[in-house]
């Protein structure tokens, strides 16, 4: 087996010019397609990994304080001093929405 492997190898070296050029042309095509695939794969991995985890850590969910309320019209959290009253359903409404 080892002898058979060496024999064709030496034969190729003698006429290496033509075969190498053919291989280069084929390799260039394969290399181009391979680079595109790798770039897409890397971008796909980075987006869900680093960015989302960073935002989750940065953006804190602050619970509503006892002196605050959520206006059911604009859905914004206001201080009680901005509470204008309640609507027909008993939902708090801020001064901006009541006026
Ligand atoms: Zn409001």
């Amino acid at each position: 087996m080892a002898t058979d492997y060496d024999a064709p190898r030496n034969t190729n070296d003698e006429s290496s010019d033509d075969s190498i050029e053919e291989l280069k042309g084929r390799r260039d095509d394969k290399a181009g397609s391979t680079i595109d695939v790798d770039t897409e794969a890397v971008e796909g991995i980075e987006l869900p990994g680093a960015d989302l985890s960073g935002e989750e850590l940065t953006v804190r969910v602050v619970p509503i304080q006892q002196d605050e309320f959520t206006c059911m019209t604009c859905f914004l959290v206001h201080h009680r001093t901005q509470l204008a009253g309640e609507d027909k359903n008993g939902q708090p409404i801020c001064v901006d929405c009541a006026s």
Side-chain angles (χ1 to χ4, degrees), residues 69-76 78 82 92-98:
F69 70 97
T70 302
C71 173
M72 288 298 113
T73 301
C74 63
F75 299 103
L76 293 178
H78 301 280
Q82 300 298 313
I93 299 177
C94 71
V95 175
D96 293 338
C97 294

Side-chain angles (χ1 to χ4, degrees), residues 10 87-88 99:
N10 292 336
D87 63 3
K88 296 175 182 177
S99 60

Side-chain angles (χ1 to χ4, degrees), residues 1-13:
M1 294 301 289
T3 305
D4 293 340
Y5 183 74
D6 288 343
R9 207 179 179 190
N10 292 336
T11 304
N12 287 340
D13 289 343

Side-chain angles (χ1 to χ4, degrees), residues 18-74:
D18 293 343
S19 61
I20 286 179
E21 288 182 358
E22 290 180 359
L23 289 176
K24 281 184 178 179
R26 292 176 183 175
R27 285 186 179 181
D28 287 344
D29 293 342
K30 289 182 179 178
S33 62
T34 301
I35 290 175
D36 292 340
V37 173
D38 288 345
T39 302
E40 292 178 356
V42 170
E43 290 178 354
I45 292 174
E46 285 182 354
L47 286 178
D51 294 344
L52 290 180
S53 63
E55 289 184 0
E56 287 180 355
L57 291 175
T58 302
V59 178
R60 265 188 169 186
V61 177
V62 180
I64 297 176
Q65 303 300 315
Q66 289 184 347
D67 59 349
E68 292 178 336
F69 70 97
T70 302
C71 173
M72 288 298 113
T73 301
C74 63

